[in-house]
Amino acid sequence: MSTPLDRPDSGGLATLDRELEELIREENIEPGDHERFSHYVKKDKIVESAITGKPVRALCGKKWTPGRDPEKFPVCPQCKEIYESLNG
């Protein structure tokens, strides 16, 4: 009788890892001017992204995987406008 431990690539974590990698590749991670700005994203989504590597979506619609210091960039004008309209 074989178990998943006998064949690590036949399911379990190996399958989940491959599926997660495929989902990340399929995500529309946008290049362009958005890269020049820091964006507004819910804190819990930032934490989740740090743990899972899953991309996040900013208020302006920008989708990416955070990995740089947001303090080094100006705030995205679109995110700022949306945020202010929500809190206004």
Side-chain angles (χ1 to χ4, degrees):
M1 172 184 218
S2 69
T3 67
L5 294 176
D6 295 332
R7 297 174 310 188
D9 289 337
S10 66
L13 291 178
T15 299
L16 291 175
D17 286 343
R18 282 194 307 273
E19 289 173 359
L20 178 59
E21 287 173 10
E22 183 64 28
L23 285 173
I24 290 171
R25 274 194 300 275
E26 290 175 1
E27 293 289 338
N28 184 18
I29 299 174
E30 303 167 2
D33 288 346
H34 290 289
E35 299 302 321
R36 300 181 304 172
F37 300 111
S38 294
H39 296 274
Y40 289 174
V41 177
K42 290 182 178 180
K43 286 183 183 181
D44 62 325
K45 296 296 183 185
I46 296 287
V47 172
E48 180 183 343
S49 178
I51 294 168
T52 65
K54 180 180 173 182
V56 296
R57 184 176 302 276
L59 289 178
C60 68
K62 160 83 171 139
K63 188 180 251 186
W64 83 108
T65 304
R68 59 186 180 149
D69 182 2
E71 299 292 324
K72 295 181 180 179
F73 300 89
V75 174
C76 168
Q78 289 178 310
C79 281
K80 186 175 182 177
E81 183 179 327
I82 294 167
Y83 180 78
E84 289 172 352
S85 73
L86 293 173
N87 290 328

